[in-house]
Amino acid sequence: MRISILSPFGKFIARRLVVKCKKCEKEKLLSAFDYYAENGDEQCISCRLTSHLMKPLINRFFSEMSIPEEVTKQLVSNPRMAKSMLNAVKGVAKFGIKKPQPTGVPVVIVWNFTNRCNLHCLHCHQDSHPIPNQSELTTSQAFKVVDNMADAGISILTFSGGEPLIRPDLYEVAEYASNRGIFCSIATNGILITKDVPEKLYHAGIKSVEIGLDGVSAKTHDFLRNTHGSFDATIEGIKNCAEFGMFHDIAIATTLNKMNVKEIPQIIDLCEKLGATKFYLNRIIAAGRGKNVTHLDVSPKEKMEVLNHLCDRFIRAANGNGITCYTRGMTYFARLCYQRSNGNFFPVSEVLSGCDRIFEEEWRNETTKIIKNLAEGFGSCSAGLTYAGLSAEGNLLPCVPAQIKLGNLLEEKLEDIWTNNKILNHIRTRQSLQGACGRCTYNGICGGCRYTAYEAVGDWLGTDTSCPYGAKNPQ
């Protein structure tokens, strides 16, 4: 886990690699990738010279991660992977080599596409309602926001809410984003996923779905979702996605609470039975209506029991058995997996964990090698580093629960907001973490949830009060 592996792309070199050549109409790094993969015959003299000089650096970068040359050529030839690597080098160009490393723009944006919802969940951090309580973008405005994100170079866009399927223009906007080269997914409660919906989503460019399931029975699920009959409708939605059979992933998200804490193993079993490929465990976040139900949060002892079970499942899945289990809002899960596996199996970035499936079919364990080698470079809470939220009005947010306007994508370039916003630049100074997180030797892997610190102690760099460990002090 060495951030020094990024050193070939120091700030001086990185700034020159991210410049777009007017003749070739391509960033010099992308031209260098073409040259490395033996696809750069039509480059101008300047780009060809840069590409020739870059070839040994590219080779060194990947060979230090034990990636064979032939696989490296495949990696740099893939448009999505090349764009992601360009984004990482843009981060070095803008911010220098950091630990953890911010990318040039977010890799992932989660878009609350609407504030409307057909449920009234107790824990909703958006405080969503059937009738919108805030203004929302029109379809044409949504296209402009997508253009802003695509021009900046984001890789993954998740349509969330509220309930995104309530907006009839979801398919139109998703198809537009997909055609602009963005990998699209959706986070939904599943109730509106009737038999015909999965195919419509897929042909609109949405390749992964995530559905919320908060219990193994109606008793526990309907309790948190605050709607009788929601369990049966959600199960039907999951089944419809599984029967369609074309999605890259069918992920299930469960919010841990006092009512379902004993059911988590059974919920994961149910997910596997239903055909899910991934499981995410969330926790109650003190935002929106979630502020009113913090009493439903579990004890540190209960949390550790559940996380240890997830760790068992995570390691089992790494060996090819069962679905992979991740957490959100609980970065300390990475620490637990790291400790228990002696550093062999652990999630790196909450927001990027699971995204390796996008590349897995082509490169299998090679992607895992990259992730593991860059763990401390891109690990911990992703807010301000590789991920941002987006409101229904087009406001960029530090993360989805944090309703703090950083700028509006109808008015400003995403790249300018991401680079210059004072709050984001403050969140990025992880070497200045305070309290237990600042003292902990695992903050390179974990680092704590930054929104929880902000909500609890008023400082984005403060202690993550949800951590069941406390600090692990340096020896």
Side-chain angles (χ1 to χ4, degrees), residues 155-207:
S155 296
I156 302 167
L157 177 62
T158 297
F159 291 89
S160 185
E163 172 50 56
L165 283 165
I166 282 181
R167 278 191 65 154
D169 61 353
L170 167 69
Y171 302 99
E172 192 177 357
V173 176
E175 184 175 13
Y176 187 78
S178 180
N179 289 339
R180 288 294 322 261
I182 302 173
F183 183 91
C184 296
S185 64
I186 187 172
T188 168
N189 58 42
I191 289 177
L192 299 178
I193 302 182
T194 53
K195 285 280 186 183
D196 62 319
V197 168
E199 184 174 2
K200 289 172 64 179
L201 288 172
Y202 187 83
H203 288 303
I206 292 177
K207 305 304 184 185

Side-chain angles (χ1 to χ4, degrees), residues 33-194:
F33 286 158
D34 287 344
Y35 182 85
Y36 187 90
E38 301 174 0
N39 297 321
D41 293 338
E42 298 181 3
Q43 293 178 4
C44 70
I45 295 174
S46 175
C47 286
R48 180 169 283 272
L49 176 60
T50 300
S51 298
H52 181 73
L53 295 173
M54 278 296 300
K55 188 172 183 177
L57 292 179
I58 295 171
N59 190 60
R60 174 190 163 190
F61 180 80
F62 286 99
S63 64
E64 285 195 20
M65 293 184 283
S66 301
I67 307 295
E69 184 177 1
E70 284 306 308
V71 176
T72 298
K73 288 181 179 180
Q74 294 177 41
L75 287 167
V76 300
S77 297
N78 180 274
R80 188 182 296 119
M81 181 63 88
K83 182 167 69 172
S84 297
M85 289 188 282
L86 174 65
N87 195 359
V89 174
K90 280 185 176 180
V92 175
K94 292 177 180 179
F95 308 111
I97 296 176
K98 302 289 185 182
K99 183 180 174 182
Q101 181 66 48
T103 47
V105 293
V107 176
V108 179
I109 286 182
V110 177
W111 188 359
N112 294 328
F113 194 54
T114 178
N115 291 313
R116 289 173 287 166
C117 192
N118 50 349
L119 296 180
H120 197 264
C121 303
L122 299 178
H123 63 302
C124 178
H125 52 66
Q126 295 303 308
D127 194 18
S128 296
H129 295 81
I131 301 173
N133 55 2
Q134 296 172 340
S135 61
E136 297 182 356
L137 299 174
T138 64
T139 304
S140 61
Q141 288 174 328
F143 288 157
K144 290 179 181 178
V145 166
V146 169
D147 283 334
N148 196 340
M149 292 186 282
D151 291 344
I154 77 162
S155 296
I156 302 167
L157 177 62
T158 297
F159 291 89
S160 185
E163 172 50 56
L165 283 165
I166 282 181
R167 278 191 65 154
D169 61 353
L170 167 69
Y171 302 99
E172 192 177 357
V173 176
E175 184 175 13
Y176 187 78
S178 180
N179 289 339
R180 288 294 322 261
I182 302 173
F183 183 91
C184 296
S185 64
I186 187 172
T188 168
N189 58 42
I191 289 177
L192 299 178
I193 302 182
T194 53

Side-chain angles (χ1 to χ4, degrees), residues 212-229:
L213 179 65
D214 293 312
V216 76
S217 68
K219 179 181 178 181
T220 43
H221 177 87
D222 290 2
F223 165 76
L224 199 64
R225 295 288 168 169
N226 203 22
T227 305
H228 179 71

Side-chain angles (χ1 to χ4, degrees), residues 433-439 447-457 459-467 470-471:
L433 288 175
Q434 303 297 309
C437 291
R439 297 192 303 273
C449 171
R450 294 300 95 217
Y451 173 75
T452 297
Y454 173 76
E455 175 64 27
V457 301
D459 184 358
W460 286 98
L461 300 179
T463 297
D464 177 357
T465 54
S466 76
C467 178

